[in-house]
Amino acid sequence: MKGLNSREIVIAGKRFLFPFQLRLTECEAPLECLELLRFIPGRRAVVLGQWRGKKIVAKFFFKPFRSGRHVRRELKGNRLLKKNEIASPDILYSGSVREVKTEVLVFNYIHPAESLGDALDSCRDFNLYREYLQQLITLLGTMHNAGLQHNDLHLNNFLVSSNKNGKGSTMYALDGDAIEKKSSSQSLDLNKSMKNLSTIFVQLNIRDENLFRDLVNTYFITRNFKIEKKIVLKLEKLIKRDKRLNLNRYLKKIYRSSTENICKKSLTSFMVCKRNCYTPEMKAFLKNPDIAFHLPGKDMLKAGNSATVVRFNVDGRELVVKRYNMKNFFHGLRRSFKKSRGDRSWQNAHLLLRKGITTPSPIALKEKRFGPFRNKAYFICEYVKGISARHYFKDNQSVGKAVVPEKIIEMLKLLESSMISHGDMKATNIIINREKPFLIDLDSMVHHKSRKKFVRAHGKDLKRFMKNWADQPEVSRFFSTLQEIEN
């Protein structure tokens, strides 16, 4: 499990600096809190710690009037999982903390282990990847057979731990608070099962049709269901709908404080930053991002009229800071009523990553405002060292043998299948790093709802893309397989 690398935490209104100790009301042994694993402001926190001489995971509930209910549901859900022989961490202590008004549960620490999300992200072996997914779908089918439904299905609510004999792995279900006995009968009905299954398939985002069919078959075998085409079609329809709803929820979440982000609003500014990057140095920089543009010897990447881009270092991390300028008073007045270009870049970067399209990781967004009116905006992302596709293909003429062109085609096809147009598909807006293309300059990008408008915009993207290779016939011939689509 990866920590959030936070130095401090606020529990029930009191600030604690890691590492810190708390005293439990019904136990003399102090609870040592070492590292933050998950944090939902005002509601709960999960920390890695030590208690009675061994490593544990402590889950704090501090939302007023609701913490007791959450603890009871967590205990009940954990019992339901254990009763049905579904692996879940043991609860070692349930009670309260002396220093603050908060409830706490202490769990056995499963080690070595990692969240399923991390395991899938780092997995390079397709057979192991398939094995993890089959374990997950089998576990879900087992839960449904027992009449259980997980109401907060996401990949980080499952742990993968290698077995001691080195053969295979065990998958653990987490978050008993979200486990509910939905049916008085022995198993969950088909409609509820398909909705729950769709939730997990949306997050897996499987593009391999054969793998998808195999996993559906695994689920049906676990449930002893007869595989019917109409049920599979119903599941596919649910997945398509849930993908759209899930994306909309996610794109709203990136503008508020959460486990992933920290957000600050005032009359004159709006700021959102990745929580694990929000160090004292980053905090000071975001108060005055113009400092990056005034330093002597600054690394200027672009000095345009409407946008200025520099490379800047914060805490030893190389960043790109893009400032969107107002050309004159009337330009500023016109833009003040619209979503800022920095905001669009922030949202579009998250959208691309969600769709599996590589782009430099977004770090922060800062807007200068006066009430609802926007002024200057700053978009900060990671610096990706590499060369533009334009320079890459000048140095690598034998495109037919290269991996990069295939990956660029794959990226363009993902944009097409997602109905996303870039708006300025110059070769300099594709950076090649370790044979991987990164799409940059996202403030003109549009995620279309209208198929007709997308086809028109996509056609312009392709024409602009092919124009890059007008003086390189071999490159142009390779990319000529890309065809404009019909409405």
Side-chain angles (χ1 to χ4, degrees):
M1 293 181 287
K2 295 180 180 178
L4 294 179
N5 195 29
S6 293
R7 297 177 60 188
E8 61 182 19
I9 185 175
V10 177
I11 298 178
K14 289 198 175 182
R15 192 175 298 275
F16 296 92
L17 189 68
F18 282 100
F20 60 90
Q21 284 190 356
L22 293 173
R23 294 176 299 162
L24 306 177
T25 52
E26 298 171 15
C27 178
E28 291 302 319
L31 177 64
E32 297 178 60
C33 299
L34 306 174
E35 184 180 4
L36 183 63
L37 298 178
R38 193 175 182 211
F39 182 61
I40 302 177
R43 294 172 61 186
R44 61 179 178 270
V46 183
V47 305
L48 177 65
Q50 195 159 327
W51 185 61
R52 288 181 169 174
K54 64 178 182 179
K55 279 193 172 182
I56 53 85
V57 171
K59 194 170 185 178
F60 296 94
F61 302 85
F62 42 87
K63 189 167 186 177
F65 311 112
R66 293 193 180 182
S67 57
R69 187 180 71 176
H70 284 300
V71 168
R72 289 191 295 274
R73 291 200 325 209
E74 186 90 40
L75 291 167
K76 182 181 177 181
N78 190 269
R79 284 195 298 268
L80 286 170
L81 292 172
K82 298 287 187 186
K83 180 182 176 181
N84 290 283
E85 299 182 346
I86 297 169
S88 186
D90 295 329
I91 295 178
L92 307 178
Y93 174 86
S94 171
S96 56
V97 176
R98 295 183 191 180
E99 287 87 348
V100 287
K101 291 182 179 180
T102 180
E103 301 287 325
V104 64
L105 289 173
V106 178
F107 293 86
N108 180 43
Y109 178 57
I110 309 298
H111 185 76
E114 60 182 337
S115 73
L116 178 58
D118 289 339
L120 293 175
D121 286 344
S122 61
C123 189
R124 297 294 175 262
D125 182 339
F126 181 74
N127 290 328
L128 182 60
Y129 184 85
R130 181 195 294 269
E131 182 185 319
Y132 285 153
L133 296 186
Q134 286 180 331
Q135 276 185 278
L136 172 65
I137 298 302
T138 301
L139 187 152
L140 202 59
T142 303
M143 288 176 64
H144 292 171
N145 277 336
L148 304 181
Q149 178 174 300
H150 200 305
N151 294 322
D152 189 19
L153 272 179
H154 59 79
L155 300 182
N156 290 333
N157 264 339
F158 297 91
L159 277 185
V160 178
S161 176
S162 299
N163 294 332
K164 291 181 180 178
N165 58 14
K167 296 180 180 179
S169 57
T170 300
M171 190 165 293
Y172 292 80
L174 307 180
D175 201 2
D177 186 8
I179 302 295
E180 187 178 358
K181 181 78 173 175
K182 291 293 288 186
S183 175
S184 56
S185 62
Q186 184 61 26
S187 61
L188 204 63
D189 67 49
L190 183 62
N191 283 336
K192 289 174 183 174
S193 300
M194 290 298 101
K195 287 178 182 178
N196 216 216
L197 189 60
S198 170
T199 301
I200 208 71
F201 271 123
V202 166
Q203 295 170 65
L204 295 174
N205 198 23
I206 297 167
R207 297 188 183 93
D208 186 328
E209 194 169 324
N210 291 328
L211 178 57
F212 174 75
R213 299 289 176 180
D214 286 348
L215 294 174
V216 172
N217 288 344
T218 297
Y219 179 82
F220 277 61
I221 290 168
T222 306
R223 295 297 310 273
N224 292 315
F225 283 167
K226 182 182 177 182
I227 300 173
E228 297 182 23
K229 187 176 181 180
K230 65 178 182 179
I231 298 176
V232 177
L233 289 173
K234 179 181 180 179
L235 176 61
E236 289 175 342
K237 189 175 180 180
L238 276 172
I239 292 170
K240 188 175 181 180
R241 184 205 67 177
D242 288 347
K243 274 185 177 179
R244 185 178 67 253
L245 295 174
N246 195 47
L247 180 62
N248 290 340
R249 281 194 295 268
Y250 174 72
L251 292 179
K252 288 179 181 178
K253 188 178 178 181
I254 64 174
Y255 293 101
R256 64 174 187 263
S257 290
S258 64
T259 301
E260 186 179 1
N261 299 318
I262 188 162
C263 180
K264 303 281 186 182
K265 300 178 185 178
S266 72
L267 181 69
T268 57
S269 75
F270 173 85
M271 184 281 298
V272 61
C273 178
K274 295 299 175 188
R275 190 175 288 276
N276 61 355
C277 298
Y278 196 64
T279 61
E281 189 175 335
M282 176 64 82
K283 184 178 179 180
F285 166 64
L286 289 173
K287 284 183 179 178
N288 181 24
D290 280 320
I291 192 173
F293 301 89
H294 298 149
L295 284 176
K298 58 185 174 291
D299 188 358
M300 182 71 71
L301 302 179
K302 180 182 177 182
N305 195 21
S306 62
T308 311
V309 187
V310 297
R311 184 171 152 193
F312 189 66
N313 189 295
V314 177
D315 283 321
R317 184 195 292 259
E318 292 291 326
L319 302 175
V320 171
V321 184
K322 188 168 186 177
R323 181 181 67 193
Y324 295 91
N325 306 314
M326 300 303 175
K327 298 176 186 177
N328 51 52
F329 173 78
F330 295 103
H331 179 240
L333 184 64
R334 189 171 68 251
R335 296 241 33 119
S336 68
F337 296 96
K338 297 179 179 179
K339 189 182 184 80
S340 74
R341 287 171 293 164
D343 188 338
R344 290 211 298 264
S345 292
W346 173 257
Q347 179 172 297
N348 287 335
H350 285 86
L351 172 63
L352 288 181
L353 293 173
R354 198 74 170 180
K355 294 289 185 179
I357 300 166
T358 48
T359 190
S361 296
I363 302 297
L365 163 68
K366 172 72 182 281
E367 290 180 336
K368 292 185 177 180
R369 295 180 174 183
F370 183 74
F373 305 108
R374 292 165 171 82
N375 196 270
K376 282 183 184 177
Y378 306 81
F379 173 63
I380 298 107
C381 65
E382 71 168 339
Y383 172 72
V384 174
K385 187 177 181 180
I387 59 173
S388 72
R390 180 70 177 162
H391 287 102
Y392 178 88
F393 286 115
K394 279 192 173 181
D395 298 336
N396 297 269
Q397 292 295 324
S398 55
V399 293
K401 298 177 183 177
V403 175
V404 171
E406 295 285 358
K407 289 188 175 179
I408 291 176
I409 288 176
E410 183 184 348
M411 180 184 73
L412 292 171
K413 287 182 176 178
L414 276 174
L415 288 169
E416 179 187 326
S417 64
S418 303
M419 293 209 346
I420 295 172
S421 64
H422 181 267
D424 190 15
M425 195 59 78
K426 294 185 292 192
T428 50
N429 282 333
I430 300 173
I431 301 297
I432 310 302
N433 172 268
R434 296 180 182 178
E435 296 195 326
K436 185 187 290 186
F438 287 76
L439 194 60
I440 63 170
D441 202 5
L442 310 179
D443 49 277
S444 297
M445 196 181 99
V446 178
H447 188 204
H448 296 267
K449 293 180 180 178
S450 163
R451 179 74 178 173
K452 186 176 181 179
K453 289 182 179 178
F454 166 69
V455 170
R456 189 161 54 245
H458 181 69
K460 289 180 180 177
D461 272 356
L462 285 186
K463 285 176 183 175
R464 182 64 189 90
F465 179 75
M466 293 306 297
K467 188 178 177 182
N468 292 303
W469 326 116
D471 58 346
Q472 293 177 267
E474 187 180 350
V475 180
S476 184
R477 278 195 299 273
F478 188 89
F479 286 123
S480 64
T481 55
L482 293 165
Q483 299 291 326
E484 289 190 37
I485 54 175
E486 296 180 5
N487 187 10

